[in-house]
Amino acid sequence: MVYLIRIFYNLILFFAVILFVPVWYFLNAKKGYKVGLLERFVLRTKKLDYQPVWIHCASTGEINTALPIIEYIKSKEKVLLTVFSPRAYNFAVNNLKDIPVMFLPFDFGFLIKRFLKVYNPKLLIIEEAEFWFNLIYHTSKKIPVISINTKLPKNINSIYYRETLKRFSFFIVRTHEDKQLLKSIVKEDKIAVCGNLKLLSKINLKQIKLDKKDKKVILAGSTHHPEEEILIKVFKQIKEIYPNTCLIIAPRHIERVNDIIHIVKNYNLSYSLRSKTDTLDSDVYIVDTLGELSSLYKYGDVIFVGGTFSKVGGHNIFEPILTGKKVIIGKNYFKIKDLVLQAQKMGAVVVVEDQNQLKNAILDLLKDSELNVDIEQIKTDIYNCYKKELEKWI
């Protein structure tokens, strides 16, 4: 069975590389990103005079999530980091200057075996959901392979995933639900539950100014159509009860700012733009700048995280939670279900079904939105759990 999977997988991979890599290369080169084809074919290598712990993170987000673990392992062992996306490579090279960074080879068996021969790692640690078949198959024959902050696929019981997952030496998963799913594939003693590493993420807060003018602030982050209009309708109703209230809207895509302005005008509300003022003198304050949302969350008395009324599936709810606030989301949170489960256990998230429930949730949190849990202790417990489990391997 494994032999057939390998043949079928390698055929698909071969045609994917032939058909899509040229287009992918062109699109990234056009944006100014290094694609690293020579590294991906292991034709360009770096000489290391040590046997590293190999850590793989696909994206910039995964690197940020894994940073506390990378720093911990770096304090004990030499580290080699591989990434998949060109943006992640740029981020890692610029922010992890004391760690060699390489592109992950394309997932052909002969390339993985060459990579293992060149760098001779003692251990592979994979962040989240990078279940490349040849990477796991060939590496697990040589060294232990560990999955951290494991993000399990929906079709976990497919032949592909069953054959891939059972080759891991150990899993450190986020929830007990994840453990139950994995137990049908691997032995229970190969699974530890430590919580979500995203709770350890360091938010790169900027020192930004916002004069609230003593107003109560409803802050909606990462919004999509039609969420802005829903929020504005609810805001008008709430403003009748609490006149000294302001709505801040930070759309996921700032190119939609003009659309939002049009909606605000239709409801006869005043508006101002973040790029023009740092004072809340209007009804609706629209964030038309990039990279400030994380730093703005601390100013919100009530937080709504978007992509959850629209069918996008949700965005990071832990950024506002880490500022000590409860968050409100809609029912479409399928992309962040694991984050929501963790947040629900902390009493940190309110899920609403419709506009009326949204209004009631905002009214409740305007009275008190502070979390009644010790976030720092939760973060410490998660970190110590990861340390304890990883100490067995490094």
Side-chain angles (χ1 to χ4, degrees):
M1 181 61 71
V2 175
Y3 180 72
L4 292 176
I5 293 174
R6 287 177 61 195
I7 292 175
F8 188 61
Y9 175 81
N10 287 327
L11 280 172
I12 293 175
L13 184 65
F14 174 78
F15 286 110
V17 168
I18 294 295
L19 294 173
F20 297 113
V21 165
V23 177
W24 175 73
Y25 177 90
F26 173 77
L27 291 175
N28 280 284
K30 190 177 179 181
K31 296 175 183 176
Y33 290 122
K34 178 181 177 181
V35 176
L37 285 182
L38 292 178
E39 289 184 11
R40 294 181 193 272
F41 284 106
V42 201
L43 295 174
R44 177 184 292 158
T45 61
K46 295 179 181 178
K47 187 175 181 180
L48 304 182
D49 58 1
Y50 52 83
Q51 189 179 15
V53 171
W54 175 12
I55 301 175
H56 176 63
C57 300
S59 65
T60 301
E62 288 184 11
I63 294 172
N64 272 321
T65 299
L67 270 179
I69 302 306
I70 294 172
E71 292 295 328
Y72 166 67
I73 295 171
K74 194 178 71 173
S75 71
K76 302 174 74 70
E77 298 278 355
K78 297 287 189 179
V79 170
L80 168 65
L81 178 67
T82 57
V83 299
F84 187 83
S85 85
R87 289 181 65 185
Y89 182 86
N90 281 6
F91 175 84
V93 167
N94 291 327
N95 292 277
L96 302 173
K97 297 183 184 296
D98 54 348
I99 295 176
V101 180
M102 304 289 295
F103 283 105
L104 183 73
F106 288 125
D107 199 39
F108 294 106
F110 71 96
L111 295 180
I112 299 300
K113 286 189 281 188
R114 173 163 167 73
F115 187 92
L116 289 167
K117 184 177 180 180
V118 169
Y119 295 106
N120 190 29
K122 61 176 67 175
L123 172 70
L124 171 58
I125 297 174
I126 297 176
E127 161 79 5
E128 295 197 12
E130 287 290 275
F131 302 129
W132 296 99
F133 185 82
N134 284 318
L135 172 66
I136 310 305
Y137 179 81
H138 291 287
T139 305
S140 63
K141 288 185 172 184
K142 301 286 186 181
I143 56 174
V145 180
I146 298 173
S147 171
I148 64 171
N149 212 45
T150 311
K151 186 175 182 179
L152 295 174
K154 290 182 179 179
N155 52 339
I156 186 174
N157 286 312
S158 68
I159 296 173
Y160 175 88
Y161 282 116
R162 291 185 72 89
E163 289 297 328
T164 303
L165 292 171
K166 72 182 184 182
R167 296 178 188 281
F168 279 85
S169 303
F170 199 70
F171 294 87
I172 305 179
V173 301
R174 307 171 182 187
T175 67
H176 288 282
E177 290 81 2
D178 291 333
K179 181 177 180 178
Q180 290 301 315
L181 283 172
L182 264 178
K183 278 169 59 178
S184 65
I185 298 172
V186 302
K187 293 180 180 179
E188 188 172 0
D189 60 6
K190 293 175 69 174
I191 312 167
V193 181
C194 283
N196 199 317
L197 276 179
K198 281 189 169 65
L199 272 173
L200 305 187
S201 298
K202 294 179 181 177
I203 303 175
N204 296 318
L205 297 179
K206 299 179 181 178
Q207 296 300 317
I208 64 171
K209 181 183 176 185
L210 183 67
D211 185 355
K212 292 177 65 172
K213 306 287 283 187
D214 295 322
K215 292 185 177 183
K216 287 284 190 179
V217 171
I218 303 165
L219 196 160
S222 296
T223 59
H224 295 258
H225 172 79
E227 291 170 333
E228 294 89 6
E229 185 159 12
I230 293 170
L231 286 157
I232 288 168
K233 284 180 183 177
V234 169
F235 171 68
K236 282 205 73 170
Q237 296 171 13
I238 288 173
K239 202 166 175 62
E240 293 174 4
I241 304 169
Y242 295 105
N244 196 34
T245 305
C246 177
L247 173 64
I248 298 179
I249 297 178
R252 185 70 174 182
H253 306 291
I254 62 170
E255 58 266 26
R256 297 188 54 251
V257 165
N258 287 335
D259 295 336
I260 297 168
I261 290 172
H262 182 70
I263 297 169
V264 173
K265 288 180 176 178
N266 282 346
Y267 283 85
N268 297 314
L269 294 169
S270 61
Y271 76 91
S272 55
L273 300 176
R274 172 70 185 163
S275 61
K276 303 296 184 183
T277 179
D278 56 18
T279 303
L280 301 186
D281 284 326
S282 58
D283 297 317
V284 181
Y285 186 74
I286 303 171
V287 181
D288 60 340
T289 55
L290 292 171
E292 292 194 311
L293 178 57
S294 297
S295 303
L296 285 169
Y297 275 132
K298 65 183 177 184
Y299 291 105
D301 296 288
V302 177
I303 307 293
F304 171 84
V305 176
T308 54
F309 269 122
S310 67
K311 295 183 179 179
V312 172
H315 296 293
N316 189 349
I317 60 173
F318 278 172
E319 282 191 347
I321 288 172
L322 289 174
T323 67
K325 304 286 176 62
K326 295 178 183 178
V327 300
I328 301 171
I329 60 172
K331 62 184 179 180
N332 297 318
Y333 57 84
F334 51 88
K335 283 187 179 178
I336 55 166
K337 186 175 180 180
D338 55 319
L339 304 186
V340 174
L341 287 171
Q342 181 101 36
Q344 285 175 327
K345 292 174 183 176
M346 298 164 55
V349 64
V350 180
V351 181
V352 296
E353 296 279 335
D354 53 35
Q355 185 175 309
N356 190 53
Q357 287 187 12
L358 175 63
K359 174 188 172 183
N360 291 333
I362 291 174
L363 288 171
D364 287 342
L365 293 188
L366 279 172
K367 298 171 187 173
D368 180 20
S369 66
E370 298 298 317
L371 278 176
N372 297 317
V373 296
D374 188 342
I375 292 179
E376 290 305 315
Q377 186 58 54
I378 292 172
K379 290 167 68 173
T380 298
D381 291 343
I382 292 172
Y383 181 67
N384 287 338
C385 181
Y386 271 87
K387 278 178 60 178
K388 176 185 173 184
E389 297 301 333
L390 288 171
E391 279 173 356
K392 301 171 185 176
W393 301 92
I394 59 176

